[in-house]
Amino acid sequence: MCTNIVYEWLKTLQLPQYAESFVDNGYDDLEVCKQIGDPDLDAIGVAVPHHRRRIHEAVRRLKEADETAAGLY
């Protein structure tokens, strides 16, 4: 099993089963994960609606964290 930042992120979302698919589809960094949309989740194989919502919510939080950090400089 891959152990990287995306795996750790998915583990905190209680979705580590998708880690290998994320990495296989090029989502091996959180910066890349911030761009995930519905077509990407289809390609990765995330079909369960509440898993998709959980990932979308986490992506939104990643983007908000960036905006907050940008305001510090």
Side-chain angles (χ1 to χ4, degrees):
M1 176 53 75
C2 55
T3 54
N4 67 13
I5 190 72
V6 174
Y7 172 74
E8 294 300 324
W9 178 64
L10 288 167
K11 197 163 80 168
T12 66
L13 300 176
Q14 299 178 336
L15 298 171
Q17 67 269 33
Y18 297 113
E20 194 170 338
S21 293
F22 266 67
V23 172
D24 288 348
N25 283 279
Y27 296 94
D28 56 355
D29 183 272
L30 291 182
E31 286 299 315
V32 179
C33 288
K34 289 178 193 171
Q35 308 306 316
I36 288 176
D38 282 320
D40 305 301
L41 293 179
D42 291 339
I44 292 167
V46 182
V48 180
H50 69 272
H51 290 181
R52 294 172 76 96
R53 281 193 301 274
R54 204 179 303 166
I55 291 168
H56 280 306
E57 177 65 21
V59 167
R60 185 186 60 75
R61 286 193 308 267
L62 286 174
K63 289 178 180 177
E64 284 178 358
D66 265 6
E67 291 170 9
T68 302
L72 298 175
Y73 299 103

